[in-house]
Amino acid sequence: MKSIIFIPLKDYFFSRKNVLIKFLIPMLIALAALLLSIFFNIGNSEKVISTFSGFIDTQINIVAILISFSIAIITILVSADNKNIQCLKETESNKTQYKPVNGKQLSLFQILLSNITYNVIVEIIYLVGLIAISLIKTILPIVSLKFIVSICLFIILHILFVLLESVSQMYLTFWANKK
């Protein structure tokens, strides 16, 4: 089962040529937030713990909604049977942006499905991590909370960037061809 879960992750990373860009911007924002939180005292320990708890609880709700949204996109994609989807299945992806997987250039349909599947897996792993953090937050030192928030910020921004790309691809898939 472990290998089945991670196949979409492996295919996602091996098929993209500029995958690091999707990590760079969220990392810079998260790093800036971490540095600001370290240099500026944001309150006493009770306020920090309360804010952290609210942040984690909100993240759990947001990620659960994003998982539902992403699964709905997958459902629409695999159940739609129209000329646009058929065209995506038959059209090879751009070789300058995407690398072949197992010696075959992916179709645009596979690229879109790969994006969304990657996002669902990352969202589920993140949700499990958030639940774990929520359960152990009382034993974590206050200093570590700033680092955890920064990591959470990085992950949620990464998820949103990949989701934004997937939604844009879905939009273009069903947009009428104006040739």
Side-chain angles (χ1 to χ4, degrees):
M1 182 161 161
K2 179 177 72 171
S3 64
I4 291 173
I5 292 171
F6 294 111
I7 287 173
L9 296 177
K10 180 184 73 112
D11 287 346
Y12 179 83
F13 284 105
F14 288 148
S15 66
R16 273 46 176 198
K17 289 189 177 178
N18 298 321
V19 74
L20 291 179
I21 297 294
K22 293 176 187 162
F23 289 93
L24 184 62
I25 295 170
M27 189 178 302
L28 291 174
I29 294 170
L31 198 59
L34 177 63
L35 292 174
L36 286 172
S37 69
I38 289 173
F39 290 125
F40 297 105
N41 189 6
I42 59 172
N44 60 18
S45 62
E46 286 180 23
K47 183 177 179 182
V48 170
I49 291 171
S50 172
T51 303
F52 179 77
S53 294
F55 177 74
I56 295 298
D57 293 343
T58 302
Q59 287 290 300
I60 289 173
N61 292 329
I62 289 170
V63 172
I65 292 168
L66 287 175
I67 290 170
S68 301
F69 180 71
S70 298
I71 290 175
I73 292 176
I74 289 175
T75 303
I76 291 168
L77 186 64
V78 298
S79 65
D81 188 28
N82 65 29
K83 63 180 179 173
N84 294 344
I85 297 295
Q86 194 58 37
C87 185
L88 284 179
K89 289 179 180 179
E90 295 169 357
T91 306
E92 247 185 32
S93 60
N94 187 334
K95 292 178 181 174
T96 60
Q97 291 181 324
Y98 302 102
K99 298 182 273 186
V101 174
N102 298 327
K104 291 178 74 178
Q105 191 67 27
L106 298 178
S107 69
L108 293 178
F109 180 84
Q110 289 172 310
I111 294 293
L112 181 56
L113 187 61
S114 171
N115 266 5
I116 300 165
T117 305
Y118 167 81
N119 225 24
V120 169
I121 292 170
V122 171
E123 289 165 355
I124 291 170
I125 292 169
Y126 183 50
L127 181 62
V128 170
L130 287 171
I131 292 169
I133 290 168
S134 181
L135 294 173
I136 64 168
K137 66 185 170 196
T138 57
I139 62 172
L140 294 172
I142 302 254
V143 149
S144 68
L145 302 183
K146 292 177 182 181
F147 291 95
I148 293 171
V149 167
S150 180
I151 292 168
C152 289
L153 187 59
F154 163 75
I155 294 171
I156 197 68
L157 286 173
H158 174 68
I159 288 170
L160 290 174
F161 282 160
V162 174
L163 185 61
L164 183 62
E165 180 184 27
S166 300
V167 169
S168 297
Q169 290 170 341
M170 283 293 291
Y171 174 79
L172 293 173
T173 298
F174 292 103
W175 185 257
N177 191 352
K178 294 193 174 197
K179 287 185 180 180

